[in-house]
Amino acid sequence: MELLKEIADWKSIRKYLDKPVEDEKITQCLQAARRAPSWENYQPWHFIVIANPEIKSLLTELSGGQKLIQKAPVVILVASEISCFSEDNARKQILELIEAISGKPANEDFVNKAFIDRPLMTPSKLGDEIVFARALEQLSYAISFMILQASHVGLGTCVVGAFGNKATKQMPEMYDKLIGELNLPDDILPLVLVTMGYPDENPKSRPRKDFNKICHREKFSNPWP
Ligand SMILES: Cc1cc2nc3c(=O)[nH]c(=O)nc-3n(C[C@H](O)[C@H](O)[C@H](O)COP(=O)(O)O)c2cc1C
């Protein structure tokens, strides 16, 4: 099917058939996710595929009782490796990126002055809150690729962002329990859930804002096209 049509048909699915999802299809979704672009190619993402009912119960509570999590055959917990944003990693990634783009090794002094010392280029210079925002931003691209691949192979998904974690600072004790159950290192922060399964509903598409109200040519309010 044409990509734009697949995107136009895409919708959140919150009810699932009681039918297991094949590992192969989940793998395809994860492969799509890992191809997403990211800030200086940090790729700060980890994906934990969860089918265990006890962990799903914990995630349901951490999401304010959203039952779709318990009922989904699969929940993919998407987490960010925060140390990807460290200055050391930023330097390493930029050196690699410049070499890949220019075909020549980059000068480290230049990289420090042009990138590492500048908050515009190095999110960690702007503090933890900005690093969280940037981490979430990178995960969003990966999730977008993942959920499109899921619908392409007949699976329904729903992104669940209402989730007690270090960014939302809700339910800290339950969050610590989750960290323990999943053996997550300190550096790995769970930020988003994606529920997944074969659809057991075909809801009406939710509206989007008018194309003409949000797309502009050169200046705000000059219509595109
Ligand atoms: C970052 C993000 C967080 C979301 N969080 C939730 C959530 O916690 N629970 C839920 O049922 N849907 C959640 N959604 C789904 C949105 O409600 C849904 O995408 C929106 O209403 C548009 O509907 P559609 O996806 O069917 O087009 C979330 C979507 C995004 C992108």
Side-chain angles (χ1 to χ4, degrees), residues 10-14 63 66 68-69 136 140 143 147 157-163 192-193 203-208:
W10 193 94
K11 49 189 123 172
S12 298
I13 297 294
R14 298 182 176 83
S63 306
Q66 298 195 59
L68 79 161
I69 296 167
L136 204 45
S140 305
I143 292 167
I147 62 180
T157 53
C158 185
V159 177
V160 175
F163 176 44
V192 187
L193 304 173
K204 250 174 76 181
S205 286
R206 300 223 49 219
R208 294 296 188 260

Side-chain angles (χ1 to χ4, degrees), residues 10-207:
W10 193 94
K11 49 189 123 172
S12 298
I13 297 294
R14 298 182 176 83
K15 290 190 180 139
Y16 309 98
L17 295 175
D18 186 13
K19 171 180 169 181
V21 179
E22 300 85 339
D23 281 1
E24 194 191 330
K25 286 195 176 178
I26 299 172
T27 304
Q28 287 173 7
C29 296
L30 299 174
Q31 278 171 339
R34 73 182 271 281
R35 290 306 311 171
S38 61
W39 183 284
E40 285 157 8
N41 208 14
Y42 286 178
Q43 305 165 62
W45 38 64
H46 288 263
F47 309 99
I48 303 183
V49 180
I50 294 169
N52 178 329
E54 280 162 30
I55 304 292
K56 285 197 283 187
S57 291
L58 192 50
L59 294 173
T60 303
E61 285 187 59
L62 273 164
S63 306
Q66 298 195 59
K67 294 270 183 291
L68 79 161
I69 296 167
Q70 187 75 64
K71 291 184 175 159
V74 177
V75 179
I76 300 185
L77 180 139
V78 187
S80 183
E81 185 176 335
I82 292 298
S83 61
C84 288
F85 290 88
S86 70
E87 290 191 10
D88 282 349
N89 189 55
R91 189 175 298 102
K92 177 175 152 283
Q93 292 298 116
I94 294 163
L95 286 166
E96 267 177 39
L97 200 59
I98 293 177
E99 189 164 348
I101 293 169
S102 70
K104 292 182 286 198
N107 173 294
E108 200 164 323
D109 283 344
F110 164 76
V111 165
N112 284 336
K113 283 201 191 88
F115 293 90
I116 304 303
D117 297 344
R118 297 172 70 197
L120 180 69
M121 303 291 182
T122 302
S124 60
K125 290 246 175 258
L126 294 167
D128 285 351
E129 299 288 319
I130 297 296
V131 168
F132 279 163
R134 286 290 184 197
L136 204 45
E137 177 190 27
Q138 314 316 304
L139 300 191
S140 305
Y141 302 122
I143 292 167
S144 300
F145 280 32
M146 179 197 295
I147 62 180
L148 277 176
Q149 176 61 28
S151 61
H152 187 70
V153 294
L155 296 169
T157 53
C158 185
V159 177
V160 175
F163 176 44
N165 54 34
K166 275 210 175 152
T168 57
K169 299 189 178 121
Q170 304 300 303
M171 297 172 263
E173 281 156 26
M174 213 176 288
Y175 173 79
D176 287 344
K177 187 168 173 208
L178 177 75
I179 298 293
E181 296 283 349
L182 300 183
N183 276 344
L184 288 181
D186 282 354
D187 186 29
I188 305 292
L189 297 191
L191 289 171
V192 187
L193 304 173
V194 179
T195 55
M196 188 179 277
Y198 284 98
D200 192 22
E201 62 169 349
N202 185 14
K204 250 174 76 181
S205 286
R206 300 223 49 219

